[in-house]
Amino acid sequence: MSEKRMRIEALIASPPTAKCEAILALLEEVESLHPEVVVIDIYLAGEQPGRTPTKGYQDKGKFKRVPSVFVNGAMAAQAEVPRRESLLALVDSELAKSSAAWLE
């Protein structure tokens, strides 16, 4: 089993809005495409995260809009549902970067 090297974080409303539900469905798809390498952390607005967020997520402080999606600490979407193709391309790009770094 390989080590998980892709972290996706989502900030959603509680209870989830329609946009939040769409993001959750999209993230389930991403996780199903890369189950061995992707870990997904869901944070509820107004609550403390159960895990330490990435630096990129933390750097946004209280200026994050709900919903938001971060891939390896880079903002992928804010206040909107990311386009499926854009999110998948970003995930593939980040996986390629991390694979190249592991080969060095």
Side-chain angles (χ1 to χ4, degrees):
M1 184 172 166
S2 64
E3 184 176 326
K4 297 202 179 213
R5 60 184 189 267
M6 165 73 55
R7 187 166 175 198
I8 301 176
E9 299 163 293
L11 175 64
I12 63 168
S14 178
T17 64
K19 287 181 183 180
C20 295
E21 293 288 350
I23 286 173
L24 292 173
L26 190 54
L27 295 183
E28 283 180 22
E29 180 182 355
V30 170
E31 188 175 37
S32 73
L33 292 171
H34 305 286
E36 296 296 318
V37 295
V38 171
V39 63
I40 296 177
D41 294 316
I42 305 298
Y43 309 135
L44 300 177
E47 294 186 16
Q48 277 295 104
R51 181 175 175 189
T52 302
T54 59
K55 183 172 178 359
Y57 182 93
Q58 291 178 26
D59 286 349
K60 284 293 187 183
K62 295 187 182 221
F63 298 104
K64 291 179 290 297
R65 297 198 44 211
V66 178
S68 295
V69 178
F70 292 79
V71 176
N72 281 349
M75 184 175 283
Q78 181 170 258
E80 293 297 330
V81 178
R83 287 188 26 240
R84 179 184 180 276
E85 298 77 20
S86 298
L87 183 61
L88 293 177
L90 179 57
V91 167
D92 289 343
S93 171
E94 287 292 319
L95 285 173
K97 283 184 205 175
S98 63
S99 293
W102 284 32
L103 294 175
E104 294 176 352

XYZ file of all heavy atoms in Angstrom:
795
model
N 0.849 -1.186 0.000
C 0.000 0.000 0.000
C 0.888 1.240 0.000
O 1.817 1.366 0.775
C -0.888 -0.036 1.249
C -1.865 1.081 1.326
S -2.973 0.730 2.717
C -3.736 2.283 2.887
N 0.618 2.160 -0.885
C 1.434 3.369 -0.974
C 0.977 4.399 0.049
O -0.149 4.377 0.532
C 1.358 3.956 -2.385
O 0.053 4.364 -2.666
N 1.880 5.315 0.354
C 1.581 6.384 1.304
C 0.700 7.434 0.634
O 0.902 7.783 -0.516
C 2.889 7.014 1.761
C 2.701 8.061 2.821
C 4.030 8.602 3.312
O 4.994 7.839 3.356
O 4.082 9.789 3.620
N -0.273 7.936 1.368
C -1.144 8.982 0.818
C -0.336 10.264 0.696
O 0.301 10.691 1.648
C -2.362 9.165 1.699
C -3.192 7.894 1.732
C -4.601 8.135 2.105
C -5.334 6.810 2.078
N -6.683 6.900 1.690
N -0.347 10.856 -0.499
C 0.466 12.044 -0.740
C -0.330 13.206 -1.329
O 0.237 14.197 -1.752
C 1.652 11.702 -1.622
C 1.295 11.147 -2.976
C 2.565 10.746 -3.724
N 2.301 10.400 -5.083
C 2.055 9.180 -5.517
N 2.042 8.170 -4.686
N 1.825 8.957 -6.787
N -1.631 13.064 -1.360
C -2.504 14.126 -1.866
C -3.516 14.434 -0.772
O -4.195 13.538 -0.292
C -3.229 13.652 -3.121
C -4.402 14.500 -3.549
S -4.007 16.074 -4.277
C -2.947 15.617 -5.590
N -3.567 15.685 -0.385
C -4.524 16.100 0.648
C -5.480 17.121 0.058
O -5.055 18.157 -0.453
C -3.776 16.680 1.846
C -4.685 16.962 3.012
C -3.881 17.201 4.250
N -4.756 17.596 5.345
C -4.342 18.180 6.437
N -3.061 18.442 6.604
N -5.182 18.511 7.373
N -6.749 16.817 0.154
C -7.784 17.727 -0.314
C -8.608 18.131 0.906
O -9.041 17.283 1.680
C -8.678 17.081 -1.387
C -7.826 16.659 -2.583
C -9.784 18.042 -1.801
C -8.589 15.922 -3.652
N -8.795 19.435 1.066
C -9.566 19.962 2.184
C -10.768 20.724 1.644
O -10.660 21.422 0.640
C -8.708 20.925 3.009
C -7.479 20.259 3.593
C -6.443 21.264 4.031
O -5.866 21.942 3.142
O -6.221 21.387 5.242
N -11.885 20.568 2.320
C -13.094 21.295 1.929
C -13.696 21.943 3.167
O -13.826 21.306 4.209
C -14.099 20.351 1.277
N -14.028 23.200 3.040
C -14.745 23.936 4.077
C -16.190 24.027 3.616
O -16.467 24.584 2.545
C -14.159 25.338 4.261
C -14.902 26.251 5.227
C -14.849 25.697 6.647
C -14.329 27.662 5.163
N -17.091 23.427 4.395
C -18.498 23.430 4.006
C -19.367 23.962 5.143
O -18.940 24.030 6.291
C -18.979 22.024 3.584
C -18.897 21.046 4.750
C -18.189 21.521 2.380
C -19.607 19.740 4.501
N -20.589 24.308 4.776
C -21.557 24.802 5.752
C -22.165 23.632 6.523
O -22.159 22.495 6.069
C -22.664 25.574 5.033
N -22.697 23.954 7.692
C -23.386 22.945 8.487
C -24.730 23.515 8.903
O -24.759 24.469 9.687
C -22.558 22.591 9.719
O -23.229 21.646 10.510
N -25.824 23.000 8.360
C -25.929 21.881 7.424
C -25.456 22.282 6.028
O -25.474 23.468 5.673
C -27.417 21.552 7.422
C -28.099 22.818 7.808
C -27.139 23.549 8.718
N -25.041 21.284 5.244
C -24.495 21.570 3.910
C -25.537 22.199 2.971
O -26.696 21.795 2.973
C -24.078 20.196 3.380
C -24.015 19.312 4.575
C -24.970 19.866 5.576
N -25.077 23.166 2.203
C -25.918 23.783 1.175
C -25.868 22.897 -0.079
O -25.128 21.909 -0.127
C -25.387 25.176 0.811
O -24.085 25.016 0.226
C -25.311 26.085 2.026
N -26.599 23.276 -1.100
C -26.572 22.529 -2.365
C -25.159 22.544 -2.959
O -24.685 21.534 -3.486
C -27.577 23.114 -3.345
N -24.468 23.689 -2.861
C -23.087 23.769 -3.361
C -22.177 22.833 -2.569
O -21.320 22.163 -3.135
C -22.548 25.201 -3.266
C -23.120 26.159 -4.267
C -22.496 27.535 -4.088
C -23.085 28.554 -5.030
N -22.467 29.880 -4.848
N -22.363 22.807 -1.268
C -21.546 21.943 -0.409
C -21.781 20.476 -0.775
O -20.826 19.687 -0.863
C -21.874 22.171 1.060
S -21.452 23.823 1.658
N -23.029 20.105 -0.986
C -23.360 18.728 -1.368
C -22.710 18.371 -2.705
O -22.195 17.272 -2.877
C -24.873 18.527 -1.450
C -25.586 18.620 -0.118
C -25.349 17.432 0.794
O -24.770 16.409 0.365
O -25.742 17.525 1.973
N -22.714 19.311 -3.643
C -22.086 19.070 -4.950
C -20.579 18.872 -4.786
O -19.975 18.009 -5.445
C -22.381 20.222 -5.903
N -19.960 19.656 -3.917
C -18.520 19.511 -3.665
C -18.231 18.155 -3.032
O -17.291 17.460 -3.434
C -17.995 20.657 -2.785
C -17.910 21.935 -3.627
C -16.648 20.319 -2.164
C -17.575 23.183 -2.851
N -19.029 17.758 -2.068
C -18.818 16.465 -1.416
C -18.915 15.318 -2.425
O -18.101 14.384 -2.393
C -19.818 16.270 -0.274
C -19.631 17.204 0.922
C -20.778 17.040 1.907
C -18.291 16.969 1.596
N -19.883 15.385 -3.334
C -20.020 14.351 -4.363
C -18.800 14.337 -5.282
O -18.287 13.272 -5.640
C -21.299 14.579 -5.171
N -18.321 15.518 -5.646
C -17.142 15.636 -6.503
C -15.904 15.067 -5.803
O -15.108 14.350 -6.408
C -16.933 17.096 -6.884
C -15.917 17.441 -7.941
C -16.157 16.681 -9.236
C -15.934 18.937 -8.204
N -15.758 15.347 -4.528
C -14.608 14.842 -3.783
C -14.670 13.326 -3.605
O -13.635 12.654 -3.621
C -14.486 15.540 -2.436
C -14.195 17.039 -2.506
C -14.028 17.622 -1.111
C -12.991 17.345 -3.372
N -15.866 12.773 -3.473
C -16.017 11.314 -3.422
C -15.525 10.698 -4.728
O -14.866 9.658 -4.722
C -17.471 10.925 -3.179
C -17.915 11.081 -1.754
C -19.368 10.682 -1.544
O -19.917 9.908 -2.358
O -19.952 11.140 -0.553
N -15.840 11.351 -5.838
C -15.385 10.858 -7.140
C -13.865 10.897 -7.225
O -13.230 9.938 -7.672
C -15.997 11.687 -8.269
C -15.553 11.223 -9.632
C -16.114 12.051 -10.772
O -16.951 12.952 -10.540
O -15.701 11.783 -11.914
N -13.265 12.002 -6.792
C -11.802 12.121 -6.819
C -11.175 11.026 -5.966
O -10.223 10.360 -6.384
C -11.345 13.514 -6.329
C -9.849 13.553 -6.124
C -11.788 14.600 -7.292
N -11.726 10.815 -4.788
C -11.188 9.789 -3.895
C -11.323 8.397 -4.503
O -10.424 7.567 -4.381
C -11.887 9.850 -2.543
C -11.263 8.942 -1.502
C -11.887 9.113 -0.150
O -13.114 9.313 -0.061
O -11.128 9.056 0.837
N -12.415 8.145 -5.202
C -12.599 6.826 -5.827
C -11.631 6.619 -6.987
O -11.252 5.486 -7.281
C -14.045 6.641 -6.283
O -14.327 7.428 -7.420
N -11.211 7.700 -7.638
C -10.254 7.591 -8.742
C -8.829 7.356 -8.239
O -8.011 6.770 -8.942
C -10.284 8.864 -9.596
C -11.553 9.102 -10.403
C -11.529 10.493 -11.023
C -11.716 8.031 -11.474
N -8.522 7.833 -7.033
C -7.161 7.742 -6.483
C -7.204 7.300 -5.011
O -6.670 7.986 -4.141
C -6.463 9.107 -6.578
C -6.423 9.683 -7.940
N -5.588 9.212 -8.923
C -7.141 10.694 -8.506
C -5.773 9.927 -10.024
N -6.714 10.819 -9.799
N -7.801 6.139 -4.715
C -7.996 5.765 -3.307
C -6.708 5.536 -2.518
O -6.694 5.715 -1.308
C -8.820 4.474 -3.387
C -8.508 3.911 -4.730
C -8.280 5.107 -5.621
N -5.643 5.176 -3.189
C -4.398 4.868 -2.493
C -3.589 6.108 -2.120
O -2.697 6.014 -1.275
C -3.525 3.932 -3.346
C -4.151 2.579 -3.578
C -4.322 1.784 -2.296
O -3.404 1.799 -1.459
O -5.377 1.154 -2.131
N -3.862 7.231 -2.759
C -2.997 8.402 -2.547
C -3.720 9.650 -2.047
O -3.074 10.607 -1.653
C -2.211 8.759 -3.836
C -1.248 7.658 -4.193
C -3.139 9.054 -4.990
N -5.043 9.638 -2.063
C -5.804 10.843 -1.696
C -6.428 10.697 -0.311
O -7.027 9.671 0.003
C -6.914 11.124 -2.735
C -7.833 12.230 -2.266
C -6.320 11.484 -4.078
N -6.264 11.733 0.489
C -6.986 11.823 1.761
C -7.796 13.114 1.710
O -7.308 14.150 1.252
C -6.043 11.782 2.985
C -5.105 12.958 3.021
C -6.828 11.705 4.267
N -9.051 13.027 2.135
C -9.944 14.183 2.080
C -10.341 14.571 3.502
O -10.766 13.731 4.289
C -11.187 13.877 1.232
C -10.760 13.626 -0.212
C -12.200 15.012 1.336
C -11.852 13.256 -1.148
N -10.144 15.848 3.816
C -10.535 16.392 5.114
C -11.685 17.370 4.893
O -11.571 18.283 4.075
C -9.365 17.129 5.778
C -8.234 16.193 6.148
O -8.509 15.110 6.675
O -7.071 16.552 5.911
N -12.769 17.150 5.612
C -13.937 18.025 5.532
C -14.003 18.828 6.821
O -14.000 18.262 7.919
C -15.240 17.204 5.371
C -15.150 16.257 4.170
C -16.443 18.135 5.284
C -14.984 16.929 2.831
N -14.035 20.144 6.694
C -14.148 21.043 7.840
C -15.506 21.730 7.779
O -15.931 22.175 6.720
C -13.046 22.111 7.818
C -11.644 21.578 7.653
C -10.767 22.180 6.765
C -11.185 20.490 8.383
C -9.469 21.720 6.605
C -9.886 20.018 8.232
C -9.037 20.637 7.344
O -7.760 20.172 7.194
N -16.155 21.823 8.926
C -17.441 22.508 9.000
C -17.221 23.946 9.437
O -16.476 24.205 10.393
C -18.365 21.800 9.982
C -18.694 20.337 9.648
C -19.557 19.727 10.743
C -19.370 20.227 8.291
N -17.838 24.868 8.728
C -17.707 26.292 9.046
C -18.122 26.530 10.497
O -19.124 25.999 10.969
C -18.561 27.124 8.095
N -17.311 27.313 11.197
C -17.607 27.662 12.568
C -17.138 26.644 13.598
O -17.315 26.851 14.789
N -16.541 25.545 13.143
C -16.051 24.518 14.060
C -14.549 24.345 13.887
O -14.005 24.606 12.824
C -16.753 23.185 13.805
C -18.231 23.219 14.129
C -18.887 21.857 14.001
O -18.170 20.837 13.951
O -20.123 21.826 13.938
N -13.893 23.875 14.937
C -12.463 23.594 14.876
C -12.229 22.366 14.007
O -12.930 21.372 14.153
C -11.915 23.299 16.275
C -11.581 24.520 17.086
C -10.448 25.309 16.463
O -10.686 26.339 15.863
N -9.243 24.836 16.602
N -11.244 22.414 13.099
C -10.920 21.220 12.312
C -10.435 20.100 13.232
O -9.770 20.347 14.240
C -9.786 21.690 11.399
C -9.894 23.172 11.372
C -10.464 23.571 12.703
N -10.752 18.872 12.878
C -10.323 17.723 13.661
C -8.881 17.343 13.413
O -8.331 16.487 14.094
N -8.260 17.971 12.440
C -6.881 17.702 12.055
C -6.235 19.042 11.715
O -6.910 19.963 11.283
C -6.897 16.791 10.827
C -5.565 16.403 10.318
C -5.711 15.409 9.187
N -4.394 15.153 8.629
C -4.167 14.477 7.552
N -5.175 13.975 6.884
N -2.960 14.292 7.113
N -4.932 19.139 11.873
C -4.250 20.390 11.549
C -4.344 20.649 10.043
O -3.897 19.830 9.245
C -2.770 20.328 11.969
O -2.706 20.057 13.367
C -2.071 21.644 11.662
N -4.923 21.777 9.643
C -5.029 22.106 8.222
C -3.657 22.396 7.602
O -2.693 22.694 8.303
C -5.890 23.376 8.208
C -6.591 23.391 9.523
C -5.642 22.740 10.479
N -3.608 22.340 6.281
C -2.383 22.662 5.562
C -2.051 24.140 5.750
O -2.903 24.951 6.112
C -2.524 22.375 4.059
O -3.612 23.170 3.547
C -2.773 20.908 3.775
N -0.814 24.486 5.467
C -0.379 25.884 5.588
C -1.198 26.787 4.663
O -1.601 27.883 5.049
C 1.106 26.009 5.281
C 1.638 27.429 5.450
C 3.134 27.486 5.334
C 3.751 28.838 5.439
N 2.959 29.996 5.607
N -1.451 26.341 3.442
C -2.239 27.135 2.494
C -3.632 27.427 3.015
O -4.144 28.541 2.872
N -4.247 26.447 3.635
C -5.575 26.632 4.226
C -5.493 27.614 5.389
O -6.288 28.536 5.495
C -6.124 25.279 4.693
C -7.512 25.343 5.274
C -8.616 25.118 4.469
C -7.728 25.618 6.622
C -9.903 25.164 4.993
C -9.001 25.670 7.153
C -10.083 25.448 6.333
O -11.358 25.512 6.856
N -4.500 27.424 6.253
C -4.344 28.297 7.413
C -4.036 29.734 7.017
O -4.505 30.676 7.660
C -3.229 27.779 8.321
C -3.566 26.493 9.025
C -2.422 25.998 9.877
O -1.593 26.768 10.328
N -2.368 24.690 10.098
N -3.251 29.914 5.959
C -2.862 31.259 5.528
C -4.060 32.116 5.125
O -3.990 33.343 5.194
C -1.866 31.196 4.368
C -0.472 30.778 4.821
O -0.217 30.730 6.049
O 0.367 30.479 3.945
N -5.141 31.500 4.716
C -6.343 32.256 4.341
C -7.078 32.786 5.574
O -7.933 33.660 5.462
C -7.288 31.395 3.506
C -6.840 31.217 2.078
C -6.909 32.536 1.366
C -6.624 32.380 -0.096
N -6.624 33.649 -0.779
N -6.753 32.237 6.731
C -7.367 32.710 7.971
C -8.875 32.724 7.898
O -9.499 31.784 7.420
N -9.458 33.815 8.359
C -10.921 33.932 8.377
C -11.475 34.479 7.065
O -12.647 34.788 6.976
C -11.349 34.813 9.544
C -11.014 34.185 10.868
C -11.580 34.971 12.015
C -11.151 34.296 13.289
N -12.177 34.233 14.278
N -10.621 34.591 6.065
C -11.056 35.158 4.792
C -11.525 34.101 3.805
O -11.778 34.407 2.650
C -9.942 36.013 4.183
C -9.580 37.174 5.066
C -8.429 37.156 5.819
C -10.424 38.267 5.173
C -8.104 38.217 6.656
C -10.115 39.334 6.005
C -8.943 39.300 6.750
N -11.641 32.854 4.251
C -12.157 31.792 3.394
C -13.666 31.931 3.286
O -14.342 32.202 4.269
C -11.805 30.413 3.969
C -10.346 30.084 3.920
C -10.055 28.737 4.506
C -10.217 28.630 5.976
N -9.383 29.424 6.831
N -14.173 31.733 2.090
C -15.619 31.766 1.894
C -16.125 30.334 1.819
O -15.430 29.438 1.370
C -15.959 32.528 0.622
C -15.482 33.985 0.778
C -16.056 34.989 -0.139
N -17.477 34.889 -0.345
C -18.069 35.227 -1.474
N -17.356 35.679 -2.485
N -19.358 35.123 -1.604
N -17.342 30.142 2.262
C -17.948 28.809 2.266
C -18.778 28.666 1.007
O -19.561 29.559 0.693
C -18.832 28.632 3.524
C -19.516 27.284 3.525
C -18.001 28.836 4.788
N -18.609 27.582 0.278
C -17.644 26.504 0.440
C -16.304 26.853 -0.206
O -16.241 27.697 -1.088
C -18.301 25.334 -0.284
C -19.100 25.976 -1.374
C -19.577 27.295 -0.798
N -15.261 26.173 0.260
C -13.920 26.313 -0.322
C -13.302 24.930 -0.470
O -13.606 24.031 0.319
C -13.005 27.155 0.576
O -13.447 28.477 0.671
N -12.430 24.806 -1.457
C -11.715 23.549 -1.686
C -10.236 23.873 -1.864
O -9.884 24.801 -2.606
C -12.242 22.808 -2.940
C -11.457 21.533 -3.191
C -13.731 22.501 -2.811
N -9.391 23.105 -1.192
C -7.937 23.250 -1.280
C -7.333 21.914 -1.678
O -7.726 20.876 -1.139
C -7.353 23.681 0.073
C -7.733 25.065 0.493
C -8.979 25.330 1.034
C -6.835 26.110 0.348
C -9.340 26.608 1.419
C -7.186 27.400 0.734
C -8.439 27.647 1.268
N -6.381 21.945 -2.603
C -5.661 20.745 -3.022
C -4.200 20.939 -2.647
O -3.547 21.853 -3.156
C -5.814 20.496 -4.544
C -4.977 19.307 -4.984
C -7.280 20.296 -4.905
N -3.715 20.106 -1.736
C -2.349 20.232 -1.217
C -2.044 21.663 -0.767
O -0.972 22.192 -1.006
C -1.320 19.755 -2.242
C -1.214 18.245 -2.269
O -1.737 17.557 -1.412
N -0.535 17.727 -3.267
N -3.024 22.294 -0.154
C -2.847 23.637 0.383
C -3.109 24.766 -0.596
O -3.130 25.933 -0.207
N -3.322 24.452 -1.864
C -3.610 25.478 -2.878
C -5.122 25.590 -3.070
O -5.808 24.575 -3.228
C -2.946 25.118 -4.203
N -5.627 26.823 -3.059
C -7.060 27.009 -3.219
C -7.498 26.601 -4.623
O -6.956 27.076 -5.616
C -7.474 28.454 -2.955
C -8.975 28.639 -3.017
S -9.510 30.285 -2.564
C -9.344 30.163 -0.796
N -8.477 25.712 -4.670
C -9.014 25.246 -5.947
C -10.361 25.897 -6.249
O -10.743 26.020 -7.408
C -9.165 23.728 -5.933
N -11.076 26.303 -5.207
C -12.381 26.948 -5.393
C -12.759 27.678 -4.119
O -12.404 27.254 -3.021
C -13.450 25.915 -5.731
N -13.481 28.780 -4.304
C -13.976 29.545 -3.162
C -15.349 30.082 -3.510
O -15.522 30.721 -4.543
C -13.026 30.690 -2.823
C -13.486 31.503 -1.641
C -12.438 32.467 -1.156
O -11.798 32.183 -0.175
N -12.262 33.583 -1.832
N -16.311 29.790 -2.667
C -17.694 30.239 -2.800
C -18.407 29.632 -4.007
O -19.526 30.009 -4.304
C -17.794 31.763 -2.846
N -17.765 28.704 -4.672
C -18.349 28.041 -5.846
C -17.951 26.577 -5.857
O -16.963 26.187 -5.239
C -17.865 28.698 -7.146
C -18.354 30.111 -7.356
C -19.865 30.220 -7.496
O -20.510 29.269 -7.980
O -20.411 31.261 -7.093
N -18.672 25.802 -6.626
C -18.298 24.408 -6.868
C -17.267 24.418 -7.984
O -17.496 25.027 -9.039
C -19.531 23.581 -7.299
C -19.130 22.149 -7.600
C -20.619 23.650 -6.232
N -16.104 23.788 -7.766
C -15.112 23.779 -8.846
C -15.631 22.953 -10.027
O -16.399 22.002 -9.844
C -13.888 23.112 -8.206
C -14.421 22.332 -7.059
C -15.653 23.041 -6.599
N -15.225 23.346 -11.219
C -15.575 22.549 -12.397
C -14.893 21.195 -12.275
O -13.723 21.111 -11.895
C -15.135 23.249 -13.676
C -16.005 24.448 -14.019
C -15.726 25.058 -15.400
N -15.181 24.123 -16.355
C -13.985 24.267 -16.958
N -13.232 25.312 -16.705
N -13.551 23.363 -17.818
N -15.620 20.152 -12.574
C -15.108 18.792 -12.444
C -13.780 18.636 -13.181
O -12.805 18.121 -12.634
C -16.143 17.804 -12.983
C -15.709 16.357 -12.923
C -16.764 15.432 -13.571
N -16.331 14.069 -13.513
C -15.515 13.509 -14.405
N -15.024 14.219 -15.405
N -15.160 12.232 -14.284
N -13.736 19.069 -14.429
C -12.539 18.911 -15.256
C -11.354 19.675 -14.668
O -10.229 19.188 -14.673
C -12.805 19.382 -16.695
C -13.872 18.596 -17.422
C -15.299 18.969 -17.006
O -15.519 20.076 -16.440
O -16.195 18.134 -17.214
N -11.612 20.868 -14.153
C -10.542 21.680 -13.562
C -9.984 21.023 -12.307
O -8.770 20.983 -12.099
C -11.046 23.076 -13.218
O -11.469 23.751 -14.371
N -10.878 20.515 -11.460
C -10.429 19.875 -10.232
C -9.640 18.603 -10.542
O -8.572 18.370 -9.969
C -11.612 19.556 -9.317
C -11.237 18.937 -7.969
C -10.355 19.883 -7.153
C -12.481 18.560 -7.189
N -10.135 17.797 -11.465
C -9.419 16.568 -11.822
C -8.059 16.877 -12.430
O -7.073 16.184 -12.145
C -10.260 15.707 -12.772
C -11.536 15.110 -12.175
C -12.310 14.347 -13.238
C -11.236 14.225 -10.983
N -7.973 17.921 -13.236
C -6.692 18.316 -13.829
C -5.720 18.782 -12.754
O -4.528 18.446 -12.789
C -6.903 19.413 -14.870
N -6.210 19.546 -11.778
C -5.360 20.006 -10.686
C -4.863 18.829 -9.849
O -3.683 18.752 -9.500
C -6.111 21.001 -9.807
C -5.362 21.562 -8.596
C -4.056 22.244 -9.016
C -6.247 22.511 -7.828
N -5.727 17.893 -9.554
C -5.345 16.706 -8.792
C -4.284 15.917 -9.555
O -3.254 15.517 -8.997
C -6.572 15.827 -8.472
C -6.164 14.449 -7.977
C -7.478 16.524 -7.453
N -4.511 15.693 -10.843
C -3.534 14.959 -11.657
C -2.194 15.685 -11.697
O -1.137 15.063 -11.608
C -4.062 14.741 -13.080
C -5.189 13.720 -13.129
O -5.346 12.945 -12.155
O -5.928 13.708 -14.133
N -2.229 17.000 -11.814
C -1.003 17.798 -11.836
C -0.243 17.671 -10.519
O 0.982 17.484 -10.501
C -1.350 19.260 -12.114
O -0.235 20.085 -11.953
N -0.949 17.777 -9.408
C -0.318 17.658 -8.094
C 0.233 16.248 -7.876
O 1.302 16.087 -7.291
C -1.305 18.029 -6.982
C -1.592 19.505 -6.896
C -0.391 20.321 -6.447
O 0.344 19.898 -5.542
O -0.183 21.401 -7.020
N -0.485 15.241 -8.339
C 0.009 13.868 -8.213
C 1.269 13.660 -9.044
O 2.198 12.985 -8.612
C -1.068 12.861 -8.616
C -2.183 12.651 -7.602
C -3.271 11.761 -8.180
C -1.650 12.071 -6.309
N 1.302 14.261 -10.226
C 2.492 14.153 -11.072
C 3.687 14.820 -10.401
O 4.803 14.294 -10.431
C 2.228 14.776 -12.440
N 3.460 15.976 -9.780
C 4.536 16.679 -9.072
C 5.080 15.820 -7.938
O 6.287 15.690 -7.770
C 4.036 17.999 -8.472
C 3.864 19.112 -9.427
C 3.451 20.347 -8.630
C 2.692 21.332 -9.447
N 2.198 22.458 -8.639
N 4.170 15.261 -7.137
C 4.611 14.486 -5.987
C 5.283 13.183 -6.430
O 6.217 12.728 -5.811
C 3.471 14.224 -5.012
O 2.459 13.447 -5.610
N 4.813 12.597 -7.538
C 5.457 11.373 -8.045
C 6.861 11.680 -8.512
O 7.798 10.916 -8.256
C 4.646 10.788 -9.206
O 3.406 10.317 -8.740
N 7.050 12.799 -9.193
C 8.373 13.189 -9.678
C 9.304 13.447 -8.508
O 10.478 13.064 -8.528
C 8.270 14.424 -10.567
N 8.792 14.072 -7.452
C 9.614 14.372 -6.279
C 10.022 13.072 -5.578
O 11.138 12.972 -5.061
C 8.852 15.276 -5.310
N 9.162 12.080 -5.572
C 9.462 10.812 -4.920
C 10.529 10.036 -5.694
O 11.252 9.241 -5.119
C 8.209 9.961 -4.788
C 7.310 10.426 -3.689
C 7.137 11.713 -3.250
C 6.470 9.631 -2.901
N 6.225 11.750 -2.236
C 5.787 10.484 -1.998
C 6.173 8.267 -2.866
C 4.866 10.008 -1.080
C 5.263 7.818 -1.943
C 4.622 8.681 -1.052
N 10.611 10.275 -7.003
C 11.587 9.545 -7.831
C 12.972 10.114 -7.702
O 13.956 9.460 -8.030
C 11.135 9.558 -9.302
C 9.855 8.791 -9.607
C 9.455 8.989 -11.056
C 9.998 7.315 -9.272
N 13.093 11.362 -7.238
C 14.414 12.011 -7.120
C 15.193 11.484 -5.952
O 14.733 11.003 -5.004
C 14.236 13.527 -6.996
C 13.672 14.126 -8.247
C 13.401 15.619 -8.107
O 13.508 16.185 -6.993
O 13.055 16.225 -9.106
